[in-house]
Amino acid sequence: MDKLKVATKQTGVKQIAIGGGVAANSGIRGRLAAAEHEMGWKTYIPKFEYCTDNAAMIGIVGYYKYLQED
């Protein structure tokens, strides 16, 4: 959060979005929601069910490619 706050101050960015597996972290979600009011940001946090881990998706693709090999 400290680095994010510094970056937004340096750039003037006021819209923050998170995604992927990190967006499922309840601590991060809570801190971003609190910082929205503190810092004057507009935050975009997807619903929990849309917060998937990209590693799992890459793993399943690798598995199916492995099955296709002869």
Side-chain angles (χ1 to χ4, degrees):
M1 287 300 296
D2 292 336
K3 289 182 180 182
L4 181 59
K5 288 178 181 180
V6 168
T8 58
K9 286 180 183 176
Q10 288 177 348
T11 62
V13 169
K14 294 290 186 186
Q15 296 181 348
I16 308 298
I18 61 171
V22 72
N25 182 302
S26 60
I28 293 173
R29 294 170 77 89
R31 291 181 72 190
L32 275 176
E36 180 174 32
H37 302 292
E38 174 192 337
M39 301 296 294
W41 297 338
K42 172 63 181 159
T43 58
Y44 300 92
I45 304 171
K47 291 181 179 181
F48 183 78
E49 59 264 25
Y50 300 123
C51 301
T52 58
D53 185 352
N54 294 335
M57 288 183 266
I58 296 300
I60 197 69
V61 169
Y63 172 72
Y64 283 118
K65 286 188 176 255
Y66 172 78
L67 290 178
Q68 290 177 349
E69 303 267 328
D70 290 305

